[in-house]
Amino acid sequence: MLKITDLVKRYGAGDPVLKNLDLTIEGESVVSIIGSSGAGKSTLLRCINRLVEPTSGSIILNGTELTTLRGKNLRAARRKIGMVFQGFNLVDRLTVMENVQSGRLGYISTWAAVSRRYPKADIQRAFELMERVGIAQYANSRADQLSGGERQRVGVVRALMQQPEILLADEPTASLDPKTSEQIMGLLRDLARELKLPVVINIHNVTEAKEYTDRIVGMRYGRIIFDDEPAKLDGAEMDKIYAGSPHADRATQGAETP
């Protein structure tokens, strides 16, 4: 279970990006975070995995308070949090297998990582996951030879190689065409079921959020103003979330700014 309590994130002397935010995620549910650019969606995900330092508040993952961890304890906790990025974050000159195995860097020795002598069990697991998402045939191909959808599948497998307790996805479909976007969203939903893994997706495309996720959390100005099943997200709720900005039922490009 992920339990966030009274979370605040402030950059400098300005207004907080996250304002006393409370959020609990249990089980294998797929949760989408929606809202206009600047609502705090990406900041929320980055606070969970400590890519961004929270100003105050509590983030507890399966009994571990993440906000107080430092050094090796923080590195150990991050192994439990898989992350899928909008920009894929692959090393283009490396093969798909090498990129996937980077998800195991927190588990193997520095020598094994540098020499690329991966444990047989890790290689077997990588092939199983790559087969599951449809990229096993590219195991020895360079990452820069793949399409956008294939590259994002590599990112998903890399995150799953961590054996995470939760999977975060920050705009995983923003760089993809509509058909590929739907395929990736369907894949994330199915993997959550198969692996009994909670998945939290920061997404602009409300149509995809309603179709592929179990719960929608709507944010505005750093606060949660909607938290319910997709069927409850009607026009009135959309107006509250996106008042003064275009509704996000079309995919938009670009990363969110704090």
Side-chain angles (χ1 to χ4, degrees):
M1 180 176 72
L2 176 71
K3 185 175 180 61
I4 299 173
T5 306
D6 204 23
L7 182 64
V8 175
K9 175 57 186 178
R10 182 189 303 272
Y11 293 96
D15 289 338
V17 177
L18 301 178
K19 303 173 182 177
N20 306 100
L21 187 146
D22 296 330
L23 179 66
T24 299
I25 296 172
E26 301 182 79
E28 59 195 61
S29 61
V30 183
V31 179
S32 54
I33 312 293
I34 66 170
S36 301
S37 294
K41 307 185 303 297
S42 289
T43 298
L44 172 59
L45 262 62
R46 283 167 165 75
C47 280
I48 294 172
N49 62 15
R50 294 280 304 279
L51 290 177
V52 166
E53 288 295 321
T55 301
S56 62
S58 172
I59 304 173
I60 299 175
L61 177 62
N62 294 335
T64 299
E65 173 60 73
L66 301 178
T67 62
T68 60
L69 298 179
R70 299 291 184 272
K72 66 179 182 180
N73 292 328
L74 176 57
R75 291 192 293 274
R78 278 179 172 153
R79 292 200 301 251
K80 302 175 183 179
I81 306 171
M83 185 75 173
V84 178
F85 299 89
Q86 173 185 338
F88 316 130
N89 281 26
L90 305 182
V91 180
D92 286 343
R93 62 183 176 81
L94 297 183
T95 67
V96 168
M97 176 61 78
E98 289 167 336
N99 272 282
V100 163
Q101 290 297 333
S102 67
R104 299 298 296 169
L105 293 181
Y107 296 89
I108 64 177
S109 68
T110 301
W111 178 85
V114 171
S115 62
R116 301 174 188 171
R117 295 181 179 272
Y118 310 116
K120 290 182 179 180
D122 288 351
I123 294 174
Q124 178 62 32
R125 177 60 173 162
F127 271 119
E128 291 172 358
L129 288 170
M130 287 191 291
E131 182 69 33
R132 168 62 186 84
V133 306
I135 57 170
Q137 67 272 31
Y138 301 121
N140 295 317
S141 300
R142 280 175 49 127
D144 58 5
Q145 297 176 342
L146 274 59
S147 69
E150 291 161 350
R151 288 163 67 84
Q152 193 58 286
R153 286 175 170 81
V154 176
V156 170
V157 173
R158 177 185 57 195
L160 294 178
M161 286 293 290
Q162 297 176 215
Q163 296 180 300
E165 295 178 3
I166 189 169
L167 183 64
L168 310 179
D170 190 14
E171 294 291 352
T173 65
S175 301
L176 307 176
D177 63 76
K179 181 178 180 179
T180 306
S181 296
E182 292 179 358
Q183 292 172 347
I184 293 296
M185 289 296 293
L187 177 65
L188 291 171
R189 177 196 60 195
D190 295 345
L191 287 170
R193 306 286 190 271
E194 294 168 19
L195 301 176
K196 301 186 184 305
L197 184 69
V199 178
V200 183
I201 305 173
N202 166 13
I203 187 170
H204 275 295
N205 191 310
V206 176
T207 299
E208 290 179 356
K210 294 180 76 169
E211 182 172 355
Y212 293 102
T213 66
D214 306 307
R215 173 182 168 195
I216 295 178
V217 173
M219 293 183 63
R220 183 169 175 81
Y221 298 139
R223 300 185 189 277
I224 292 175
I225 61 173
F226 177 87
D227 186 353
D228 213 325
E229 60 186 72
K232 300 291 181 62
L233 184 65
D234 57 19
E237 297 295 342
M238 287 282 287
D239 286 340
K240 294 176 185 177
I241 298 169
Y242 293 101
S245 64
H247 285 178
D249 53 2
R250 68 175 74 96
T252 58
Q253 302 297 318
E256 173 184 324
T257 55

